[in-house]
Amino acid sequence: MTYFGIKYIFIFLPIVIILYSLMSKKLKPIILLCASLGLIFYISKWLIIYVLLSFLSIYLAGLLLQKIDSKRDLICEGKEREERKKIKGKYKRYKKIILIITIIFNVSFLFYFKYLGFFAKIANRLFVIFKINLSFEIVKFIAPIGISYYTLKAISYIVDVYNEKISAEKNILKVCLYLTFFPSIMEGPIARYTDVKDRIYAGNKVTYNNLCFGYQRILFGMFKKYVIADRLNIFVKLAFQNYMLYSGVTSLVGAIFYTIMLYMEFSGTMDVVIGSAEIFDIILPENFRQPFFSKNISEFWSRWHITLGTWLKDYIFYPVSLSKPVKMLTNFNKKVFGHRFASIIMGGIALFFVWSLNGLWHGAGLTFLFFGYYHFALIFLGNIFEPIIAKICEILNINRQNKIYVFFRIIKTTILVFIGELFFRAPRLLYGFGMIKKIVTDFNVAAFKNEVFALGMDIKDFAIVALALIFILVISILKEKGKNIREDISKKPIYVRWTLYYALILAIIVFGAYGAGYLPVDPIYVDF
Amino acid sequence: MIKNIGKSILFMFILFLLIAGISCLLLPWRAVKKYGILYTANYPILSEEENTIDAVVVGDSLVYSGINPMVVWDKYGYTMYDCALAGQIPIISYETIQESINSQHPKVIFLESDVLFRNPKNIPIDTIKLWLTNRYIPIINYHDNWKKYLFNFLNNDKKFTKFDFYKGYHLIKKIKPAPKSRYNYMEYSKEYLPIVDENIEYFNKIVKLCEKNEVKLVLISIPNLKLWNYKKHNSISDLANKYNLEFIDFNLDNLLKINWQIDVKDGGGHLNFRGAYKVSDYLGNYLKDSGLVKDHRKDKKYQSWNESYKIYTS
């Protein structure tokens, strides 16, 4: 079952909505929980045990941490400052042990299902290089659905309890629902407990407005997926699979199309996910904010897969930056090389960890690691050169807020994103480099003219994709300007609203790339 | 509350009308006028010019993956159409043959005999879904016709043929070799695999219908190492003898020299385009030998077939 499939949109979701609406306020969250666990069981069968083990581990560890905090506070009462500090230090050590055990417990499942094969392969290669007579058997496991997402959610919950940002939840069902909530289990967003805790278990009514708003959003997501992403899929598949047969222009167009396809597929999925949750009056955090209006790569990552970016910032970047060894190194650098150099190095070390994990999170493979380090290099270099560029602009009297200057920055960022996504999609790292070489050394426009219609798309397909992208672009520009389009539409007279809805539904039915002759995009982010 | 329910019902009703309207635009108009939207959508053969199809092949997924009418057109100039549905059962075969005869009056009908072994009380859910979609939401199968119509509206081609250049065939390029352990699937046996009474009843009706309309009915069995066996062969041979019909079992002695390593798409269950070429070529040759049909390649009335072939090969 996928979020775009008939089973989910026309069977599963309506049944859950009906059952949810029929139940009392108290029982409504139970319906959501049953639906969530049911969906996981339907897809992953008995692997659901691993999901339940993760949830139980953070629930129990959370309560234990809270208990330690209470005990610590009780003992500290009326004590001198120095003694209080001592007691707090002692209890912090206990807490740290619990935190580390819980994190290792959760991450070990992720490692087992997703990375064991990858690291075994690397180990086998090293054994060959060093002539060690040993080799691991490579076994590919089927992972429980959404393991990369719920593990990050589990870690964020337990770390926040540890840091006393949130109190441990006593209601076992509420924690379970937070971790397994069916709209977000497969592809995120990686919501924090604080984002959803008030609404997820509130059992609010399904109102007419929520239903309309939710389905509007779902429709918009379907439009992105069926009309654009699925139509580009065959072209992308052929362009990447057989790049050596085509000119460099085809490789370039393939990389551009893949980036568009990925954006449409993933942001479309988020529309379905957020729309589904909205029906139950649960607001999930947004994962995209017009990423192709970014002026640099750093900004791009604050607009693309936002919840992953903020997770990595909060649970990797800051802890690494504030860790003892990095602090010591920073202090040393400050004394020897000065403040600026010290902060660049400190940021660089933390960024290195962030992007190593970002790459690995996306997949166990060298292409993904390269994808991570590519972005690390761009952001790190950006941090170094940004003040220099600012200075040059100041000397040359260039206004950096000038629209033309901003436009070129956006174009530059977009090109860098295309290159990154090319490696992300390439079946192997060498393929990625091969395609780049093709683009640079064989940029043959005449050959492209012969190839363009041989990759599964005709002129009518290109026309529909172009029109649909213009539609998405207009919406993105309006959103970027701060307009709340859905609110605006809801204020229009009924005939205007309905005309828009009918147009969207019919556009999906007629111009959707489904049925014989099409190859739908597999849910890309489900595998991550 | 009541107001909202009323609004929702009105919304769905208008949507239904709009979908019906769009279906009218995207389905072959000439056929829609004559047979209605749902009928036209359910039987794609109705989209073809009347009385232009020489031979019809009826059956399940084995047919639409295993017989390529474009090969027959290219090599022999005969018009053939695959009227196939995944998991087809004899009652649907009968209805399909009825519609084919009414609109096309073909000279020959090939019936894939594996449908006779399918229990009509135990139809896979996917087949029911497909059948329901075909029958009640036809636009799902025809939506892509916008490519033809949207850009040709000014030409005002009132014929509006569906222009299915595959003529019911599903082009499959995938190769998945069959396991060698299954190669002996046609091991000799004296036993018979029983056919349920309901299927015999509809088979009987099919035979009578063909006799009445003077259409030659031929039973065939497309190479299928997963589901076919000698017991099935015996049962169909027996049935063919009883009704005095021809039965071509392509599975027997590997009549077409199917290469189970490269001619199949899913380990021997269905043929890919290589396997389909062999079956189609054989059937084209069979039609030639029968003397019942003639070469239309130079006939102006059949120009759309040449156009379809051009698109098919492009």
Short mmCIF file of all heavy atoms in Angstrom, two decimals, chain A residues 10-42:
data_model
loop_
_atom_site.label_atom_id
_atom_site.label_comp_id
_atom_site.label_asym_id
_atom_site.label_seq_id
_atom_site.Cartn_x
_atom_site.Cartn_y
_atom_site.Cartn_z
N PHE A 10 -8.77 5.60 -1.39
CA PHE A 10 -10.21 5.34 -1.56
C PHE A 10 -10.75 4.26 -0.62
O PHE A 10 -11.96 4.09 -0.53
CB PHE A 10 -10.51 4.97 -3.02
CG PHE A 10 -10.24 6.10 -3.96
CD1 PHE A 10 -9.18 6.04 -4.84
CD2 PHE A 10 -11.03 7.24 -3.94
CE1 PHE A 10 -8.92 7.10 -5.70
CE2 PHE A 10 -10.78 8.29 -4.80
CZ PHE A 10 -9.72 8.23 -5.67
N ILE A 11 -9.89 3.51 0.02
CA ILE A 11 -10.40 2.46 0.91
C ILE A 11 -9.95 2.70 2.36
O ILE A 11 -10.77 2.96 3.24
CB ILE A 11 -9.99 1.05 0.43
CG1 ILE A 11 -10.52 0.81 -1.00
CG2 ILE A 11 -10.52 -0.03 1.39
CD1 ILE A 11 -10.00 -0.43 -1.67
N PHE A 12 -8.64 2.65 2.58
CA PHE A 12 -8.13 2.72 3.95
C PHE A 12 -8.51 4.04 4.64
O PHE A 12 -9.12 4.03 5.71
CB PHE A 12 -6.60 2.55 3.92
CG PHE A 12 -5.95 2.63 5.27
CD1 PHE A 12 -5.96 1.55 6.13
CD2 PHE A 12 -5.33 3.80 5.69
CE1 PHE A 12 -5.36 1.63 7.38
CE2 PHE A 12 -4.72 3.90 6.94
CZ PHE A 12 -4.74 2.80 7.77
N LEU A 13 -8.16 5.16 3.99
CA LEU A 13 -8.40 6.46 4.63
C LEU A 13 -9.89 6.71 4.90
O LEU A 13 -10.26 7.07 6.03
CB LEU A 13 -7.77 7.57 3.78
CG LEU A 13 -7.72 8.96 4.40
CD1 LEU A 13 -6.95 8.97 5.72
CD2 LEU A 13 -7.06 9.96 3.43
N PRO A 14 -10.79 6.51 3.91
CA PRO A 14 -12.22 6.72 4.21
C PRO A 14 -12.74 5.83 5.34
O PRO A 14 -13.51 6.29 6.17
CB PRO A 14 -12.92 6.38 2.89
CG PRO A 14 -11.88 6.58 1.85
CD PRO A 14 -10.59 6.22 2.48
N ILE A 15 -12.28 4.57 5.38
CA ILE A 15 -12.74 3.68 6.46
C ILE A 15 -12.29 4.24 7.82
O ILE A 15 -13.08 4.29 8.77
CB ILE A 15 -12.23 2.23 6.27
CG1 ILE A 15 -12.95 1.59 5.07
CG2 ILE A 15 -12.43 1.38 7.52
CD1 ILE A 15 -12.47 0.21 4.69
N VAL A 16 -11.04 4.67 7.89
CA VAL A 16 -10.54 5.23 9.17
C VAL A 16 -11.34 6.48 9.52
O VAL A 16 -11.72 6.67 10.69
CB VAL A 16 -9.02 5.54 9.08
CG1 VAL A 16 -8.53 6.15 10.39
CG2 VAL A 16 -8.22 4.29 8.77
N ILE A 17 -11.62 7.32 8.53
CA ILE A 17 -12.38 8.55 8.81
C ILE A 17 -13.77 8.20 9.35
O ILE A 17 -14.22 8.78 10.36
CB ILE A 17 -12.52 9.43 7.53
CG1 ILE A 17 -11.14 9.94 7.10
CG2 ILE A 17 -13.46 10.61 7.78
CD1 ILE A 17 -11.13 10.59 5.72
N ILE A 18 -14.42 7.23 8.73
CA ILE A 18 -15.78 6.87 9.17
C ILE A 18 -15.73 6.30 10.59
O ILE A 18 -16.49 6.73 11.47
CB ILE A 18 -16.42 5.85 8.18
CG1 ILE A 18 -16.69 6.56 6.84
CG2 ILE A 18 -17.71 5.27 8.73
CD1 ILE A 18 -17.04 5.63 5.70
N LEU A 19 -14.83 5.34 10.82
CA LEU A 19 -14.74 4.73 12.16
C LEU A 19 -14.40 5.78 13.21
O LEU A 19 -14.97 5.82 14.30
CB LEU A 19 -13.69 3.61 12.18
CG LEU A 19 -14.05 2.36 11.39
CD1 LEU A 19 -12.88 1.37 11.39
CD2 LEU A 19 -15.29 1.69 11.99
N TYR A 20 -13.47 6.65 12.87
CA TYR A 20 -13.03 7.72 13.78
C TYR A 20 -14.21 8.62 14.13
O TYR A 20 -14.43 8.97 15.28
CB TYR A 20 -11.91 8.50 13.09
CG TYR A 20 -11.30 9.63 13.91
CD1 TYR A 20 -10.21 9.41 14.74
CD2 TYR A 20 -11.80 10.94 13.81
CE1 TYR A 20 -9.64 10.44 15.46
CE2 TYR A 20 -11.23 11.97 14.53
CZ TYR A 20 -10.15 11.73 15.35
OH TYR A 20 -9.59 12.76 16.07
N SER A 21 -14.99 8.96 13.10
CA SER A 21 -16.13 9.87 13.33
C SER A 21 -17.21 9.22 14.18
O SER A 21 -17.91 9.90 14.93
CB SER A 21 -16.75 10.30 12.00
OG SER A 21 -15.76 10.85 11.20
N LEU A 22 -17.34 7.91 14.06
CA LEU A 22 -18.40 7.23 14.81
C LEU A 22 -18.07 7.06 16.29
O LEU A 22 -18.96 6.87 17.11
CB LEU A 22 -18.66 5.83 14.20
CG LEU A 22 -19.30 5.82 12.81
CD1 LEU A 22 -19.37 4.40 12.28
CD2 LEU A 22 -20.70 6.43 12.85
N MET A 23 -16.79 7.13 16.62
CA MET A 23 -16.38 6.87 18.00
C MET A 23 -16.50 8.11 18.90
O MET A 23 -16.53 9.23 18.41
CB MET A 23 -14.91 6.39 18.03
CG MET A 23 -14.71 5.06 17.39
SD MET A 23 -15.59 3.77 18.28
CE MET A 23 -15.77 2.56 16.99
N SER A 24 -16.53 7.83 20.20
CA SER A 24 -16.56 8.93 21.17
C SER A 24 -15.18 9.59 21.20
O SER A 24 -14.20 9.00 20.73
CB SER A 24 -16.90 8.39 22.55
OG SER A 24 -15.86 7.54 22.97
N LYS A 25 -15.12 10.79 21.76
CA LYS A 25 -13.86 11.55 21.81
C LYS A 25 -12.72 10.73 22.41
O LYS A 25 -11.59 10.79 21.96
CB LYS A 25 -14.10 12.82 22.64
CG LYS A 25 -13.00 13.86 22.54
CD LYS A 25 -13.39 15.10 23.29
CE LYS A 25 -12.24 16.05 23.45
NZ LYS A 25 -11.83 16.75 22.26
N LYS A 26 -13.06 9.94 23.44
CA LYS A 26 -12.05 9.14 24.13
C LYS A 26 -11.51 8.03 23.24
O LYS A 26 -10.33 7.66 23.34
CB LYS A 26 -12.68 8.54 25.40
CG LYS A 26 -11.84 8.72 26.62
CD LYS A 26 -12.54 8.16 27.80
CE LYS A 26 -11.66 8.25 29.02
NZ LYS A 26 -12.32 7.72 30.20
N LEU A 27 -12.39 7.48 22.44
CA LEU A 27 -11.98 6.32 21.64
C LEU A 27 -11.38 6.71 20.28
O LEU A 27 -10.77 5.87 19.61
CB LEU A 27 -13.18 5.39 21.41
CG LEU A 27 -13.62 4.56 22.62
CD1 LEU A 27 -14.85 3.76 22.30
CD2 LEU A 27 -12.50 3.63 23.08
N LYS A 28 -11.55 7.97 19.90
CA LYS A 28 -11.04 8.40 18.58
C LYS A 28 -9.53 8.11 18.41
O LYS A 28 -9.12 7.55 17.40
CB LYS A 28 -11.32 9.88 18.36
CG LYS A 28 -12.78 10.16 17.91
CD LYS A 28 -12.94 11.64 17.62
CE LYS A 28 -14.35 12.11 17.53
NZ LYS A 28 -15.30 11.43 16.73
N PRO A 29 -8.70 8.51 19.43
CA PRO A 29 -7.26 8.23 19.26
C PRO A 29 -6.97 6.73 19.16
O PRO A 29 -6.00 6.33 18.50
CB PRO A 29 -6.63 8.81 20.53
CG PRO A 29 -7.64 9.74 21.08
CD PRO A 29 -8.98 9.23 20.69
N ILE A 30 -7.81 5.92 19.80
CA ILE A 30 -7.58 4.46 19.75
C ILE A 30 -7.77 3.97 18.30
O ILE A 30 -7.05 3.09 17.83
CB ILE A 30 -8.57 3.71 20.69
CG1 ILE A 30 -8.51 4.28 22.10
CG2 ILE A 30 -8.30 2.20 20.69
CD1 ILE A 30 -7.21 4.07 22.83
N ILE A 31 -8.76 4.58 17.63
CA ILE A 31 -8.97 4.21 16.21
C ILE A 31 -7.72 4.55 15.39
O ILE A 31 -7.27 3.76 14.57
CB ILE A 31 -10.21 4.94 15.65
CG1 ILE A 31 -11.48 4.42 16.30
CG2 ILE A 31 -10.31 4.85 14.12
CD1 ILE A 31 -11.82 2.97 15.96
N LEU A 32 -7.18 5.75 15.64
CA LEU A 32 -5.97 6.15 14.90
C LEU A 32 -4.82 5.19 15.18
O LEU A 32 -4.07 4.82 14.28
CB LEU A 32 -5.55 7.58 15.29
CG LEU A 32 -6.45 8.72 14.83
CD1 LEU A 32 -5.84 10.06 15.22
CD2 LEU A 32 -6.65 8.67 13.31
N LEU A 33 -4.70 4.79 16.45
CA LEU A 33 -3.63 3.87 16.83
C LEU A 33 -3.83 2.51 16.16
O LEU A 33 -2.87 1.94 15.59
CB LEU A 33 -3.60 3.71 18.36
CG LEU A 33 -2.46 2.86 18.91
CD1 LEU A 33 -1.11 3.41 18.51
CD2 LEU A 33 -2.56 2.78 20.44
N CYS A 34 -5.06 2.00 16.19
CA CYS A 34 -5.33 0.70 15.56
C CYS A 34 -5.05 0.78 14.05
O CYS A 34 -4.47 -0.14 13.47
CB CYS A 34 -6.79 0.29 15.76
SG CYS A 34 -7.14 -0.12 17.46
N ALA A 35 -5.48 1.89 13.44
CA ALA A 35 -5.24 2.06 12.00
C ALA A 35 -3.74 2.09 11.71
O ALA A 35 -3.27 1.48 10.75
CB ALA A 35 -5.90 3.34 11.50
N SER A 36 -3.00 2.78 12.57
CA SER A 36 -1.55 2.90 12.36
C SER A 36 -0.88 1.54 12.48
O SER A 36 -0.08 1.14 11.62
CB SER A 36 -0.95 3.87 13.38
OG SER A 36 -1.59 5.12 13.27
N LEU A 37 -1.19 0.82 13.56
CA LEU A 37 -0.57 -0.48 13.76
C LEU A 37 -1.03 -1.46 12.68
O LEU A 37 -0.26 -2.28 12.20
CB LEU A 37 -0.89 -1.03 15.16
CG LEU A 37 -0.30 -0.21 16.31
CD1 LEU A 37 -0.75 -0.77 17.66
CD2 LEU A 37 1.22 -0.18 16.24
N GLY A 38 -2.31 -1.33 12.30
CA GLY A 38 -2.85 -2.19 11.25
C GLY A 38 -2.12 -1.98 9.94
O GLY A 38 -1.77 -2.93 9.24
N LEU A 39 -1.85 -0.72 9.60
CA LEU A 39 -1.15 -0.40 8.35
C LEU A 39 0.28 -0.97 8.39
O LEU A 39 0.74 -1.56 7.41
CB LEU A 39 -1.10 1.12 8.14
CG LEU A 39 -0.46 1.56 6.83
CD1 LEU A 39 -1.42 1.37 5.66
CD2 LEU A 39 -0.04 3.02 6.88
N ILE A 40 0.94 -0.78 9.52
CA ILE A 40 2.32 -1.30 9.64
C ILE A 40 2.30 -2.82 9.50
O ILE A 40 3.12 -3.40 8.79
CB ILE A 40 2.96 -0.88 10.99
CG1 ILE A 40 3.08 0.64 11.06
CG2 ILE A 40 4.33 -1.52 11.15
CD1 ILE A 40 3.49 1.17 12.41
N PHE A 41 1.34 -3.46 10.16
CA PHE A 41 1.27 -4.93 10.10
C PHE A 41 0.95 -5.38 8.66
O PHE A 41 1.52 -6.35 8.17
CB PHE A 41 0.21 -5.46 11.06
CG PHE A 41 0.15 -6.97 11.08
CD1 PHE A 41 1.14 -7.69 11.74
CD2 PHE A 41 -0.85 -7.66 10.43
CE1 PHE A 41 1.13 -9.08 11.73
CE2 PHE A 41 -0.88 -9.05 10.41
CZ PHE A 41 0.12 -9.76 11.07
N TYR A 42 0.07 -4.65 8.01
CA TYR A 42 -0.32 -5.00 6.63
C TYR A 42 0.90 -4.97 5.70
O TYR A 42 1.07 -5.83 4.85
CB TYR A 42 -1.37 -3.99 6.13
CG TYR A 42 -1.82 -4.22 4.71
CD1 TYR A 42 -2.73 -5.22 4.40
CD2 TYR A 42 -1.32 -3.43 3.68
CE1 TYR A 42 -3.13 -5.43 3.08
CE2 TYR A 42 -1.73 -3.64 2.36
CZ TYR A 42 -2.63 -4.63 2.08
OH TYR A 42 -3.02 -4.84 0.79
#
